[in-house]
């Protein structure tokens, strides 16, 4: 759904009925999710993704997202999930909570000492750095040190044996570059 949302924002034709069904599916999944404070890291990540896409489309309920950030912050235990919820809050106008979530994402990145590990969600430290950088730039958050993240990403890519990236790493690295070039216009990317 994120891909379709980005395609629509870029002016590409996306069938409206299909897109609305995809958004409805995300909203239904978010409504049926466990309370954020009790969610495991994968359910919380799924919730953050849904909130992010729905917020970009102005279809999320801001009070729900505030509740997630206030009561379930620690459940969003991957840097990308924390940043997605932060971006969702920023898109809906709650920059203070957004910045707190981006601060949480930055802390999670700093605490992650395993640069080559692959999680069940296909996450790696490089993918998470690129996603946090992208989302912070899109959301206009200054809580993330974008220059340091970009430098860390470049260093990690340079030291890889063959420089190859996973699909997730490549996608988010490209999005990070686009977001940095585009500036901090929420919803663009």
């Amino acid at each position: 759904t994120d891909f379709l949302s980005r395609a629509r924002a870029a002016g590409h034709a996306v069938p409206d009925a299909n897109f609305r069904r995809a958004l409805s599916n995300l909203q239904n999944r978010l409504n049926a999710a466990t309370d954020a404070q009790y969610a495991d890291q994968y359910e919380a990540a799924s919730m953050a993704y849904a909130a992010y896409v729905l917020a970009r489309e102005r279809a999320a309920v801001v009070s729900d997202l505030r509740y997630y950030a206030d009561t379930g912050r620690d459940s969003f235990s991957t840097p990308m999930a924390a940043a997605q919820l932060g971006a969702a809050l920023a898109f809906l106008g709650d920059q203070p909570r957004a910045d707190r979530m981006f601060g949480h994402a930055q802390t999670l990145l700093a605490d992650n000492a395993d640069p080559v590990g692959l999680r069940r969600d296909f996450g790696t430290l490089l993918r998470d750095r690129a996603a946090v950088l992208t989302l912070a730039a899109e959301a206009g958050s200054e809580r993330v040190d974008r220059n340091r993240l970009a430098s860390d990403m470049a260093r990690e890519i340079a030291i890889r044996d063959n420089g190859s990236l996973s699909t997730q790493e490549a996608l988010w690295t490209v999005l990070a570059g686009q977001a940095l070039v585009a500036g901090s216009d929420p919803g663009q990317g």
Side-chain angles (χ1 to χ4, degrees):
T1 309
D2 181 38
F3 174 80
L4 296 176
S5 173
R6 288 175 185 278
R8 279 174 56 111
H12 298 286
V14 174
D16 192 57
N18 294 344
F19 186 64
R20 294 287 156 218
R21 276 194 296 274
L23 290 178
S24 179
N25 181 9
L26 287 179
Q27 188 63 61
N28 290 339
R29 292 174 63 194
L30 199 54
N31 291 341
T34 302
D35 191 317
Q37 61 189 324
Y38 304 114
D40 68 27
Q41 83 173 32
Y42 298 107
E43 185 171 20
S46 179
M47 293 168 67
Y49 169 80
Y52 168 68
V53 175
L54 290 168
R56 278 188 28 175
E57 294 298 324
R58 305 292 188 251
V61 178
V62 71
S63 60
D64 289 348
L65 305 189
R66 289 175 176 153
Y67 178 77
Y68 300 157
D70 291 348
T71 65
R73 184 194 75 127
D74 292 339
S75 293
F76 299 94
S77 60
T78 65
M80 185 173 171
Q84 283 176 323
L85 184 55
L89 286 159
F91 294 163
L92 297 177
D94 193 338
Q95 197 65 48
R97 277 187 182 87
D99 286 340
R100 283 196 297 274
M101 290 306 297
F102 280 112
H104 180 53
Q106 182 95 9
T107 298
L108 291 169
L109 283 172
D111 292 346
N112 187 342
D114 184 14
V116 292
L118 179 66
R119 295 188 312 267
R120 188 173 95 186
D121 69 348
F122 303 104
T124 64
L125 183 56
L126 176 60
R127 192 278 311 258
D128 284 351
R129 282 178 175 149
V132 170
L133 179 57
T134 300
L135 297 165
E138 287 179 351
S141 179
E142 298 297 327
R143 282 294 299 270
V144 171
D145 185 344
R146 297 180 202 171
N147 290 331
R148 179 173 179 177
L149 281 177
S151 295
D152 289 346
M153 288 170 55
R155 191 174 316 106
E156 185 174 339
I157 291 168
I159 63 171
R160 293 211 175 167
D161 289 335
N162 58 6
S164 67
L165 304 177
S166 73
T167 303
Q168 288 276 320
E169 291 168 336
L171 167 74
W172 283 102
T173 298
V174 168
L175 290 175
Q178 289 177 340
L180 288 173
V181 169
S184 60
D185 185 8
Q188 300 297 312

